[in-house]
Amino acid sequence: MVDEGPHGYGIILLSFLTAYVLAVLPLPQWALWARPEWVALTLIYWTIALPHRVGMVTGLLLGVGLDVLEGAVLGQNAFALVVVALLSLMLYQRLRVYSLSQQAGVVFVLIGVNQLVCQWVQNLEGAGARSLLFLLPAFSSALLWPVVLHVLRGLRRYYRVS
Amino acid sequence: MLATLAVVALITADLRFNQLETTRAALDTVAAPIYWLADIPTRIGDWSDEHIQSRARLLEDNQRLRRENLVLQGRSHQMSSLQAENVRLRALLNSSALLRDDVLVAELIGVSPDPVRHQLVLNKGESDGVFMGQPLIDASGLMGQVVEVSAGTSRALLITDATHSIPVQVNRNGVRAIAEGTGALGTLEIHHVSATTDIQEGDLLVSSGLGGRFPVGYPVAVVSEIERDPGLAFARVLATPSAALDRSRHVLLVFTSDPDQGD
């Protein structure tokens, strides 16, 4: 290897930016509750792939950005994503050897935790959801995990982000 | 650990002390391009709707609009005479003059992705004169108010958001009430209406202007359901917002001229 040390910041940033755009993309009314948590999914992937570079601080910054985008309480998504990053950092060695379906299962739980934390902060504000529909993104995100995994892994290998 | 502390500090600062408004406005300016990007598909759809239309459809549209224009013109003539009469009567009653409001047309560039949070992002900001708390209406009624202003964009809270309330009165008889958002698009709840109050299904609720924030007389909602339970102190009253909260793409920001300032 000629160039050592971390590179490929551009790709990581670009993937997060794409996740942001997808996160605010206008959806029809019926699909609103099921919007996959794109930012959390991308964060989980990069934490598993590059645990030495992407972690809780990334989660914190990403979350603040998402809060601003969503007009949420500053810190709501930041809190959720820090927790998600922490959990994925604890699990990444196991996750790497899991099969796709097992990974999707873990992603389901992680996004579920993300939603619960968000819900908790929203309830502090008095604007929580009144049904369990807020857990729907956990399903849709787990279903989309294989797609996210393949796209991001393809990008990482192609641009040799390490 | 540090990250957790930072997060808790952030949440407390924002929720309890509202300390972060300027920071938020600055960050919002950075976030605007992302909304712009996410809005591209919708804009392409709108553009093709406008440009790829059959001649027959355009002709039909044109005819319909002409008819509508005729009707509206007729009504506006009637309006002007009524308005003159109203001013005369008000002068007789010695009450302050009813001023006409100026409006600014804004376009929606984003809606809150979170289904429990009813917010819109608009393409007008501080540089266009938008201010905090500015009322927002569409063709058929009051929509909400501006809660965040950055340089080129602003964020508005809809009347159906669970954290929003608006003082209203029944158009028929002037009964005052407070309409609160429920978090469900299409439902407002009127709280603390005593069981004997004269309010009926189908009553139009208009803004009463009592909070000092919204101008008087804009339609807010139509009462859709009343439940008078003898076991409860208050009647349960639900109403449907008049404005097309989830459909309007163009909205109007209202500049109310303050009668007390007198220019």
Side-chain angles (χ1 to χ4, degrees):
Chain A
M1 286 290 275
V2 185
D3 51 348
E4 289 194 356
H7 60 287
Y9 276 107
I11 293 302
I12 302 182
L13 273 179
L14 193 73
S15 66
F16 282 138
L17 213 63
T18 316
Y20 272 154
V21 173
L22 286 173
V24 297
L25 202 68
L27 282 187
Q29 199 69 35
W30 55 267
L32 263 187
W33 285 98
R35 178 194 293 277
E37 291 291 317
W38 295 104
V39 178
L41 279 176
T42 318
L43 178 71
I44 293 173
Y45 175 76
W46 286 119
T47 322
I48 297 169
L50 310 168
H52 52 286
R53 285 175 70 186
V54 176
M56 290 167 72
V57 176
T58 323
L60 177 69
L61 297 176
L62 266 184
V64 172
L66 194 57
D67 287 331
V68 171
L69 267 187
E70 285 191 356
V73 178
L74 273 190
Q76 172 190 316
N77 285 296
F79 197 175
L81 289 183
V82 164
V83 173
V84 166
L86 173 68
L87 291 175
S88 351
L89 278 179
M90 286 160 69
L91 293 171
Y92 79 92
Q93 281 164 327
R94 256 178 279 177
L95 272 171
R96 279 181 182 173
V97 295
Y98 275 178
S99 73
L100 206 54
S101 53
Q102 281 172 314
Q103 281 184 354
V106 176
V107 166
F108 173 77
V109 174
L110 286 178
I111 303 288
V113 169
N114 178 67
Q115 292 306 101
L116 282 175
V117 174
C118 282
Q119 193 57 30
W120 180 67
V121 177
Q122 268 176 358
N123 273 326
L124 284 182
E125 192 193 4
R130 298 186 173 190
S131 60
L132 283 177
L133 273 180
F134 71 90
L135 286 175
L136 259 186
F139 285 100
S140 55
S141 305
L143 284 177
L144 274 166
W145 171 250
V147 181
V148 174
L149 179 74
H150 280 110
V151 170
L152 288 178
R153 189 160 63 190
L155 277 176
R156 182 173 65 85
R157 291 194 176 151
Y158 186 79
Y159 290 99
R160 302 217 190 103
V161 184
S162 58
Chain B
M1 194 64 223
L2 261 176
T4 321
L5 277 181
V7 164
V8 171
L10 262 180
I11 296 178
T12 332
D14 198 18
L15 210 58
R16 287 271 165 263
F17 306 107
N18 290 324
Q19 285 295 309
L20 299 168
E21 269 177 14
T22 41
T23 329
R24 214 170 229 283
L27 286 171
D28 252 358
T29 318
V30 185
I34 294 180
Y35 269 108
W36 185 84
L37 272 177
D39 195 38
I40 287 178
T42 325
R43 254 178 294 140
I44 293 177
D46 282 359
W47 183 87
S48 54
D49 261 6
E50 277 171 21
H51 291 251
I52 312 170
Q53 265 187 0
S54 69
R55 185 183 140 81
R57 171 121 175 259
L58 283 174
L59 279 174
E60 191 184 304
D61 262 9
N62 199 334
Q63 266 175 7
R64 186 176 50 80
L65 290 172
R66 266 170 206 275
R67 272 201 305 276
E68 262 181 38
N69 193 15
L70 210 65
V71 173
L72 289 175
Q73 258 177 0
R75 271 198 213 151
S76 84
H77 288 317
Q78 198 183 11
M79 262 293 277
S80 56
S81 78
L82 281 177
Q83 211 165 24
E85 189 183 333
N86 194 321
V87 169
R88 263 203 319 281
L89 291 174
R90 274 176 175 273
L92 281 177
L93 287 170
N94 254 342
S95 61
S96 65
L98 201 63
L99 293 170
R100 200 188 297 177
D101 302 323
D102 281 330
V103 291
L104 171 74
V105 180
E107 197 177 334
L108 220 108
I109 54 172
V111 290
S112 172
D114 190 341
V116 296
R117 215 175 282 280
H118 296 178
Q119 292 183 342
L120 307 175
V121 183
L122 309 172
N123 70 343
K124 294 282 190 287
E126 207 165 8
S127 50
D128 307 283
V130 178
F131 56 89
M132 282 285 274
Q134 185 167 25
L136 187 76
I137 61 172
D138 76 351
S140 41
L142 218 144
M143 292 183 78
Q145 58 176 307
V146 174
V147 287
E148 257 177 66
V149 187
S150 66
T153 60
S154 53
R155 196 179 278 273
L157 190 68
L158 293 180
I159 50 174
T160 49
D161 190 279
T163 59
H164 194 276
S165 321
I166 170 172
V168 293
Q169 61 184 37
V170 178
N171 199 29
R172 184 167 51 86
N173 54 14
V175 167
R176 292 182 304 275
I178 304 258
E180 282 183 20
T182 55
L185 209 68
T187 318
L188 292 175
E189 194 167 351
I190 324 296
H191 281 288
H192 309 304
V193 177
S194 71
T196 53
T197 306
D198 178 16
I199 187 167
Q200 298 166 3
E201 273 175 39
D203 272 349
L204 177 68
L205 302 171
V206 298
S207 53
S208 69
L210 283 180
R213 174 150 289 189
F214 293 102
V216 191
Y218 282 107
V220 175
V222 175
V223 176
S224 58
E225 195 187 324
I226 300 182
E227 202 184 298
R228 292 194 163 94
D229 184 345
L232 296 173
F234 297 107
R236 188 167 156 276
V237 183
L238 298 181
T240 316
S242 308
L245 295 177
D246 55 345
R247 287 186 294 278
S248 313
R249 178 133 179 103
H250 290 95
V251 298
L252 302 171
L253 289 158
V254 184
F255 292 90
T256 321
S257 25
D258 193 346
D260 295 333
Q261 281 172 354
D263 44 347

